[in-house]
Amino acid sequence: DILTDKDFAGIKRTIEWDKSLLIPGVGETARIKLAGPVSSGQIVGKVSYTLNGKVLSEARLLASNDALKGDLKDKIVKIVDKAIVYKTFILVCLVVVAVLIVLLVLFIRRKRKV
């Protein structure tokens, strides 16, 4: 198909970032921030150009440089996320142990009565 001057105004660009690289809570802002480490040449997403719902072109987005470190805020967010996951896991384990202890105590009391 040949595009006319009118068609160019209707072309829509869509960028789809690799979700595993997005920093939680930052992707909703106007500036996208990727979490490191990212290696030069690594695929970080893809861009698509469409016209009236028809894909004209797609391309992978590659990192142009290595980005090994995030800033201090990024590190704090990662630490807090990990801490929440670990605390939740520990809490679930403690609840399971408590339930098992209660069941054991009830079982022992029941045996003594019989």
Side-chain angles (χ1 to χ4, degrees), residues 3 10-11 17 19-20 22-23 28-29 34 40 43 45 53 56 58 61 63 73-75 85-86 90 93 97 106 110:
L3 298 177
I11 294 176
W17 297 102
K19 289 181 175 56
S20 68
L22 290 177
I23 296 173
E28 293 84 25
T29 62
L34 301 178
S40 178
I43 299 170
L56 300 175
E58 286 184 331
L61 298 174
K73 180 182 169 192
D74 299 339
K75 291 178 184 178
V85 169
Y86 291 131
I90 290 171
C93 289
V97 168
L106 292 173
R110 190 170 185 198

Side-chain angles (χ1 to χ4, degrees), residues 72-85:
L72 181 60
K73 180 182 169 192
D74 299 339
K75 291 178 184 178
I76 291 171
V77 167
K78 284 182 184 180
I79 290 169
V80 169
D81 285 346
K82 285 182 182 179
I84 290 170
V85 169

